[in-house]
Amino acid sequence: LQKSLNEIFGPDKYSEARKEVLTNMFSRPMQMALYFCTGVLENETLFRHYALNVPFYTHFTSPIRRYADVIVHRLLSASLGASSPIKMEKEAIQKQADHCNDRKMASKRVQELSADLFFSIFVRVR
């Protein structure tokens, strides 16, 4: 998609803006990634990463950014034997994952509404 967008727009002064608007519009319908505890889900096909086409996938970043990443780091450390197992039942981990998903979706919605507002103002002014 990105390659097609790059090829379709010419070198005029508005081409980059048109590409940004379309990229934003095309990416909105994509399903957001969700945090979940694998011990709670029985259907392993739900572990699949659609875009990467891999059957099992875990994503995490620096644990200073999100609480979900702190939990993943702790679980990974325990599974590698570098630390003791965390003292949380899988249902409690899933409850934390659900909370993180709720907060992430609320944040995304506010971001989208803000972008819509500023885009509307931009169009109105132009």
Side-chain angles (χ1 to χ4, degrees), residues 34-45:
L34 295 175
Y35 298 111
F36 63 91
C37 176
T38 57
V40 173
L41 298 180
E42 293 181 18
N43 184 354
E44 287 189 3
T45 63

Side-chain angles (χ1 to χ4, degrees), residues 67 74-75 78 83-93:
Y67 183 66
R74 289 177 182 167
L75 290 168
S83 65
S84 59
I86 64 172
K87 294 174 178 30
M88 286 178 77
E89 296 293 323
K90 60 186 174 185
E91 291 78 12
I93 293 171

Side-chain angles (χ1 to χ4, degrees), residues 47-57:
F47 304 173
R48 178 170 209 78
H49 191 286
Y50 176 77
L52 296 176
N53 194 26
V54 293
F56 296 100
Y57 180 79

